[in-house]
Amino acid sequence: MGTWNPEEFKRTIRQVIDKMLDFNDEFIYDENGELVDVIVQVAFSWDEEKGEEHLRKRIEMGHLEKGTSMDKYNEIIEQLLAQEMALVSIHPNSFNKFVVGSRKFVDGKDWIVMFDNEGVIKTAYPPGDFDSYFTDSYHFLCYVDDLPSS
């Protein structure tokens, strides 16, 4: 485990979040040059491409409505990462895993997203004990809004 330097971690997390929210939209035009579709491609990826597995689990557990798409699940993650008042912590067992969470985020439920320093999503869900991710053995840093500009 590395040395605990909050300011360094804040800069790193800001860079990772900015990278994760760097959209690569693809614009589709017809033969007349008219825009017919926009395909939004997120810049983050899932751990070992397990996004669909996590989505099924969230639906089975009632965290998301039946029929929720992977695009909708990713949209929830994007919105959570972009929330200025979301809380930011560092995982207690690894200084390269981060947690961002927000209260009353989806349908009145608290949500978190865990990701690594490469912007790879590990999981995203409404935890049973939200506070434990921002107190106890986790290293609470700040709010997303307090992260320095990259």
Side-chain angles (χ1 to χ4, degrees), residues 21-124:
L21 295 178
D22 183 22
F23 302 103
N24 299 309
D25 298 345
E26 181 180 344
F27 298 94
I28 310 297
Y29 298 92
D30 65 15
E31 62 278 352
N32 299 321
E34 298 290 320
L35 181 66
V36 293
D37 198 6
V38 178
I39 301 171
V40 177
Q41 300 176 5
V42 296
F44 60 80
S45 61
W46 279 87
D47 188 27
E48 299 178 22
E49 300 301 320
K50 291 186 177 181
E52 294 287 343
E53 180 182 320
H54 282 269
L55 174 62
R56 278 191 300 278
K57 184 175 181 179
R58 297 300 145 222
I59 292 170
E60 287 172 9
M61 296 183 76
H63 298 155
L64 295 170
E65 293 181 11
K66 188 174 182 178
T68 299
S69 68
M70 194 68 213
D71 286 341
K72 179 63 178 172
Y73 192 28
N74 285 337
E75 183 181 314
I76 290 168
I77 293 167
E78 292 165 25
Q79 291 173 354
L80 178 56
L81 291 171
Q83 271 213 335
E84 293 178 354
M85 294 310 293
L87 302 160
V88 179
S89 285
I90 294 180
H91 195 279
N93 299 321
S94 174
F95 281 169
N96 67 355
K97 291 183 183 155
F98 312 114
V99 180
V100 171
S102 187
R103 292 197 175 281
K104 312 285 185 250
F105 185 67
V106 177
D107 297 330
K109 298 176 193 164
D110 303 336
W111 270 73
I112 64 166
V113 58
M114 289 186 178
F115 56 97
D116 67 17
N117 60 353
E118 297 296 320
V120 176
I121 303 291
K122 301 301 179 181
T123 190

